Amino acid sequence: MAQVLPGRGSARKGARSPTTEVAAVTLPLMVGIDGSEASLEAVDWAAAESLRHGVPLHLVHAAVPEHAASGLVAVASARARRSAPAARLSDEVVHEEAAAALVAKGRNAFALVLGSRGLGDLAGLLLGSVSLAVAAHADCPVIVVRGGAEHRQGRFGSVVVGVEEGEGSDTALLFAFREAQVRRCRLVAVHAWSVPVGNPGPPGLSGYALQAGRRPPAQVLADKLAGPAERYRDVAVSSEVVEGSARRALLHEASRADVIVVGARRRHGHVGLQLGLVNHTVLHHAPCPVVVVPAL
């Protein structure tokens, strides 16, 4: 299940061909730590996740000042070892601004895991500024660990994924299937839709009938699920087609989920992703860990 990174070195010494060889390197699951309780909860969650996927766990503390960095990392490492003694653990300190450093580290990561709040965040914030910035700019999946113990410890047996028409959620859907497989739990695929504004249709004709005249929403979801379901045949899937707000539908399903997965589109002509209203709502309000997966 681990992702692989092509090797970038020169050809092996003594090789007959000048062609660069490609070596498979297991990408680590990286956790941003800052000493806050939220980041330590993220360490606990990530330690278990690294074992599920069979990838190394790498703790990163990124901050410009060096004060107490080694002690902070030692505490987080000890916590990871208690949570998952079998995890392949490493750590490092990066003396750079946190969000930029974590985004850079994410270029060679299986995923980046962050707490929902940091030490420096204002009390009124629903989501920490670093977590939001990283989610908006990272090239790899970003996981923000939210919610109480029952959601963080996998007691619901459910992974939820938002599915939209087009290609924006395709990579997220694959991530969600894989997550459900390693957790051995069910996948709930949610597709929300609404009638276009200014197109009320004939009197008495329901919104679903209007939409079905073009392409039934249930068919949109079924078509999206067909390929991944064939690949992950052992994953039990339930489909939820909802007329109305995608934000409301996803938060409703997240209330009984261990993880919720959403896709993020890349902005044309700009660096980073387009975190729309759905992404922001889930990141700020979901009662369980949230995975934001960039579209390829």
Side-chain angles (χ1 to χ4, degrees):
M1 302 310 301
Q3 296 184 12
V4 295
L5 177 68
R8 296 188 178 92
S10 59
R12 184 180 57 195
K13 184 177 181 180
R16 296 181 181 178
S17 170
T19 304
T20 299
E21 293 193 359
V22 177
V25 178
T26 303
L27 298 179
L29 182 64
M30 294 192 182
V31 191
I33 57 173
D34 63 2
S36 66
E37 182 58 29
S39 78
L40 293 176
E41 290 173 352
V43 168
D44 292 338
W45 190 94
E49 186 76 351
S50 70
L51 294 179
R52 292 187 192 103
H53 288 278
V55 297
L57 180 65
H58 186 65
L59 310 183
V60 180
H61 173 59
V64 175
E66 301 182 19
H67 178 66
S70 59
L72 185 153
V73 171
V75 169
S77 296
R79 182 129 171 186
R81 290 190 182 94
R82 288 196 301 271
S83 298
R88 291 172 284 164
L89 181 64
S90 60
D91 57 61
E92 71 175 305
V93 176
V94 181
H95 300 297
E96 300 176 27
E97 188 276 326
L102 290 169
V103 168
K105 288 291 179 183
R107 297 188 184 112
N108 290 316
F110 176 82
L112 276 169
V113 182
L114 304 168
S116 59
R117 293 280 305 282
L119 284 176
D121 292 314
L122 299 175
L125 293 179
L126 294 172
L127 178 68
S129 57
V130 170
S131 296
L132 185 60
V134 174
H137 293 93
D139 292 327
C140 68
V142 173
I143 303 164
V144 177
V145 178
R146 302 181 53 84
E150 69 277 11
H151 288 280
R152 299 196 310 271
Q153 296 172 7
R155 299 178 184 175
F156 290 88
S158 174
V159 172
V160 172
V161 59
V163 182
E164 60 179 300
E165 194 166 12
E167 300 179 353
S169 60
D170 288 357
T171 312
L173 190 56
L174 287 172
F175 186 101
F177 263 94
R178 180 173 54 189
E179 191 66 26
Q181 182 186 64
V182 298
R183 288 172 175 266
R184 300 179 182 179
C185 70
R186 72 187 182 110
L187 177 68
V188 180
V190 180
H191 174 60
W193 65 279
S194 58
V195 178
V197 176
N199 184 22
L205 188 62
S206 70
Y208 190 91
L210 277 170
Q211 186 73 0
R214 302 189 344 244
R215 191 179 181 212
Q219 189 61 52
V220 171
L221 181 55
D223 290 346
K224 285 291 183 183
L225 292 174
E230 178 66 21
R231 180 174 176 179
Y232 296 95
R233 295 186 180 185
D234 54 339
V235 174
V237 183
S238 62
S239 301
E240 298 290 337
V241 178
V242 180
E243 181 179 0
S245 166
R247 290 171 285 170
R248 188 176 298 113
L250 288 170
L251 288 180
H252 173 72
E253 292 298 335
S255 67
R256 49 197 177 190
D258 302 315
V259 179
I260 182 167
V261 183
V262 291
R265 298 176 181 272
R266 299 197 175 277
R267 297 181 292 182
H268 297 294
H270 297 82
V271 176
L273 307 173
Q274 179 64 55
L275 295 182
L277 290 176
V278 171
N279 303 88
H280 275 279
T281 298
V282 173
L283 281 167
H284 283 85
H285 298 287
C288 65
V290 178
V291 186
V292 178
V293 183
L296 291 178

